[in-house]
Amino acid sequence: MSSLNLSDNTRPSIGRGFRLQWEPAQNAHVLLYPEGMVKLNMAAGEILKRCTGELTLGEIVIDLERAFARTGLQDDVTGFLGIAHEKGWVDWEEGDGGDVSDGRWES
Amino acid sequence: MSTVLPSSPPSLTSPHSLGPPLWLLFELTYKCPLQCVFCYNPVDFARHSQELPTAQWLRVLREARELGSVQLGLSGGEPLLRDDLEEITAEAHRLGFYTNLITSGVGLTESRLRALQAAGLDHIQISFQDSTREMNDFLSHTRTFELKQRVAGWIKALGYPMVLNCVVHRLNIDHLDSIIDMAVRMGADYLEIANAQYYSWAHVNRDQLLPSRAQLEAAERTMNEWRARLGKRMRILFVVPDYYEERPKRCMNGWGSTFMTVTPDGTALPCHTARMLPGLSFPNVTHNSMREIWFDSEGFNRFRGTGWMKEPCASCEERERDLGGCRCQAYLLAQDPAAADPVCAKSPQHHVVTDAVANAQRPVVSEKPLIFRRREESLALSDEVIR
Ligand code: SF4
Ligand code: SF4
């Protein structure tokens, strides 16, 4: 499962053993994992909270662009998810839009 | 349990403002079917046999969560001996804690594990305990291995990573190769090989437990060979005894900065061994709120930051990095909780550590028998202290 398999149709979800939640005491989203915690900055929190396994990468980007009235977030989001995947924070099904060309043809 | 020190502590507290007790450890009971010679429970545990009722644990959870605690360790003793473990886990989960169970696995059944998972348990760490007995048993008897393997099978079948912790010391470290081999055969995803740390029972038995330098070097070679062979299949973490270091580590990420332990009788401590420190009173959750305990109690404030330090720490350039090391070790080895941790080469008592290390290089270090963590031994040992 390399981040190369990430396409517009991929539906990322929070990695097994990790839990994402909003912490009022820290005024931030945090990712909890066995005996540890990462405090997320705003952007990371906003991306990860959309990784529910329901939205596709494409939909996540559109939603973020709408929420923050920005465009051109695709590369940032993809880049972040690549890193997050390496750390095990997010995961996706191997086959999800696995054939990368699928995504391209559809869009 | 022996391994309540997190391998990756949340290190997000800024030095300038006191954050919440991110890490909460419940030592639910001192009862335990095992008798580990390196047990972290206080030597006088038999004199603190009272246990909080369920409702109190649940209230502490709620108050801690309000303060911002996020990680909960459920430990003991053997936490499985509390039949409200599921209830406590469920409430912790509901409140938003990440719940970690630290158990020897003795007494665990498949249905109990399922119930714990249904309650929202996030993580399990299985420890190999009584290394002189169970380990020998384990190394030589297939039956014990099969028991552990069965537990490992359930854990994996429920989708948890299999995390195995094994405390090593002079008497078992030479078996590291077989220990790792068995961990692999059990399908462990992580193996934590932690050298005993010399507090509590391990301090009582230190002469018999401190490995020699040659043993440690051999162990590191063995471990590196396995690491190379296993790659990502099983990750191995190796913790060396700090007696072989020249500088102490920050203890518990800094006194009263991140951790709080609640002992079976409700005493709240900045670390699970702090109760031994003389001249300090620690609050009890039955009388105080978590907020009062964390922010206002004398016990938690005493060694926060660097203001309490004496020389050589007070003027040391490294004081913010290690915060003077461990207060319990300072007390045990220098008889002064405000002294520099004698592991530090700058400590005037550093020779206590180097003497122990020198002694550990001898082929036969001690004629003394090992003292097992038993009730009778606990009463006898704490009697000595009282006298
Ligand atoms: S005797 Fe062993 S298993 Fe029991 S609490 Fe102590 S270290 Fe843990
Ligand atoms: S003298 Fe104290 S502060 Fe300095 S390195 Fe040693 S223990 Fe740390």
Side-chain angles (χ1 to χ4, degrees):
Chain A
M1 259 184 278
S2 83
S3 49
L4 295 175
N5 282 337
L6 186 59
S7 80
D8 263 8
N9 289 336
T10 305
R11 295 172 200 274
S13 53
I14 298 300
R16 176 152 238 170
F18 287 87
R19 173 130 47 90
L20 176 76
Q21 65 192 29
W22 173 257
E23 279 302 305
Q26 300 178 58
N27 196 26
H29 277 98
V30 301
L31 259 187
L32 300 173
Y33 54 90
E35 305 186 348
M37 179 185 80
V38 205
K39 185 171 170 179
L40 300 164
N41 64 24
M42 211 264 285
E46 288 298 329
I47 298 173
L48 287 179
K49 105 178 179 202
R50 289 169 170 78
C51 295
T52 56
E54 279 160 24
L55 299 184
T56 65
L57 171 57
E59 289 162 347
I60 291 174
V61 172
I62 291 170
D63 194 38
L64 284 165
E65 291 181 340
R66 194 180 312 128
F68 294 95
R70 294 261 314 267
T71 52
L73 291 180
Q74 173 94 29
D75 286 354
D76 287 351
V77 176
T78 311
F80 172 77
L81 286 178
I83 297 167
H85 188 264
E86 248 166 55
K87 295 179 185 285
W89 297 354
V90 286
D91 207 353
W92 47 77
E93 298 275 317
E94 190 100 41
D96 263 13
D99 190 335
V100 176
S101 59
D102 267 351
R104 299 245 166 82
W105 283 118
E106 274 168 26
S107 53
Chain B
M1 283 296 114
S2 56
T3 50
V4 284
L5 296 168
S7 35
S8 46
S11 54
L12 300 154
T13 45
S14 104
H16 307 294
S17 69
L18 179 57
L22 290 172
W23 230 114
L24 183 65
L25 177 73
F26 278 4
E27 291 181 337
L28 294 170
T29 178
Y30 284 145
K31 293 201 197 84
C32 185
L34 302 180
Q35 306 171 344
C36 302
V37 291
F38 49 75
C39 183
Y40 275 59
N41 289 161
V43 171
D44 62 355
F45 77 88
R47 298 189 187 271
H48 305 278
S49 56
Q50 244 175 309
E51 290 180 15
L52 291 180
T54 313
Q56 291 283 7
W57 290 114
L58 299 185
R59 178 185 56 84
V60 173
L61 281 178
R62 284 190 288 273
E63 289 184 11
R65 198 55 198 121
E66 271 164 31
L67 286 186
S69 300
V70 286
Q71 290 280 346
L72 176 70
L74 295 164
S75 162
E78 176 48 68
L80 292 170
L81 292 176
R82 289 278 307 210
D83 56 15
D84 53 3
L85 184 59
E86 287 84 344
E87 199 179 340
I88 293 170
T89 305
E91 178 68 355
H93 180 76
R94 195 186 64 76
L95 291 166
F97 276 101
Y98 196 94
T99 50
N100 305 269
L101 175 64
I102 303 156
T103 171
S104 70
V106 174
L108 189 59
T109 60
E110 190 176 9
S111 63
R112 188 115 202 248
L113 193 56
R114 283 185 187 282
L116 285 165
Q117 186 173 49
L121 184 69
D122 290 296
H123 187 67
I124 308 173
Q125 180 191 283
I126 297 282
S127 312
F128 276 128
Q129 296 302 337
D130 197 352
S131 308
T132 40
R133 282 196 187 167
E134 204 200 6
M135 180 61 67
N136 283 341
D137 223 38
F138 176 68
L139 291 170
S140 51
H141 298 289
T142 27
R143 218 186 118 254
T144 318
F145 174 65
E146 279 163 6
L147 276 174
K148 289 275 187 205
Q149 193 168 36
R150 214 165 48 228
V151 173
W154 301 331
I155 289 177
K156 287 182 80 86
L158 292 184
Y160 290 109
M162 176 61 205
V163 179
L164 203 61
N165 173 276
C166 180
V167 174
V168 292
H169 46 71
R170 188 178 188 92
L171 302 174
N172 69 3
I173 196 168
D174 298 334
H175 297 301
L176 193 58
D177 193 57
S178 347
I179 295 171
I180 300 178
D181 183 49
M182 290 201 183
V184 172
R185 282 161 50 204
M186 283 170 60
D189 299 293
Y190 299 90
L191 174 63
E192 189 177 307
I193 299 164
N195 268 276
Q197 290 182 298
Y198 300 99
Y199 308 98
S200 303
W201 294 83
H203 182 252
V204 172
N205 290 306
R206 186 188 68 196
D207 289 348
Q208 295 98 309
L209 297 183
L210 189 62
S212 71
R213 188 165 270 120
Q215 282 183 304
L216 282 173
E217 284 166 3
E220 260 185 296
R221 275 196 303 277
T222 305
M223 192 201 48
N224 286 332
E225 283 162 24
W226 275 102
R227 272 187 180 154
R229 209 179 319 161
L230 292 168
K232 282 193 177 166
R233 199 169 128 211
M234 182 178 91
R235 295 238 308 274
I236 310 179
L237 190 88
F238 187 68
V239 185
V240 297
D242 62 355
Y243 275 48
Y244 282 86
E245 315 270 1
E246 296 275 294
R247 288 286 182 277
K249 285 200 206 66
R250 253 186 191 216
C251 195
M252 307 312 282
N253 196 40
W255 177 279
S257 74
T258 317
F259 295 91
M260 186 191 297
T261 296
V262 183
T263 64
D265 68 1
T267 306
L269 303 172
C271 96
H272 50 293
T273 53
R275 174 135 68 180
M276 72 168 97
L277 300 176
L280 259 188
S281 67
F282 291 105
N284 189 296
V285 299
T286 14
H287 311 303
N288 300 95
S289 71
M290 289 298 262
R291 181 171 294 279
E292 288 163 349
I293 290 173
W294 183 249
F295 290 102
D296 306 329
S297 71
E298 196 244 345
F300 277 81
N301 279 319
R302 174 72 76 88
F303 296 114
R304 276 191 169 127
T306 54
W308 53 272
M309 286 179 171
K310 302 179 174 176
E311 293 302 335
C313 297
S315 61
C316 176
E317 286 168 359
E318 297 169 70
R319 66 182 184 275
E320 292 287 349
R321 190 180 48 81
D322 60 37
L323 296 172
C326 172
R327 297 304 88 224
C328 298
Q329 192 143 270
Y331 168 62
L332 283 172
L333 303 182
Q335 287 75 51
D336 177 3
D341 183 335
V343 158
C344 183
K346 297 185 192 177
S347 155
Q349 278 83 23
H350 185 53
H351 61 92
V352 178
V353 171
T354 49
D355 287 352
V357 167
N359 186 49
Q361 313 313 314
R362 304 205 322 246
V364 177
V365 291
S366 170
E367 308 288 333
K368 282 193 294 184
L370 279 167
I371 298 181
F372 288 87
R373 175 223 191 259
R374 286 196 202 105
R375 209 187 118 72
E376 312 82 71
E377 306 283 12
S378 170
L379 292 173
L381 283 165
S382 45
D383 222 29
E384 275 172 35
V385 175
I386 288 163
R387 259 186 250 132

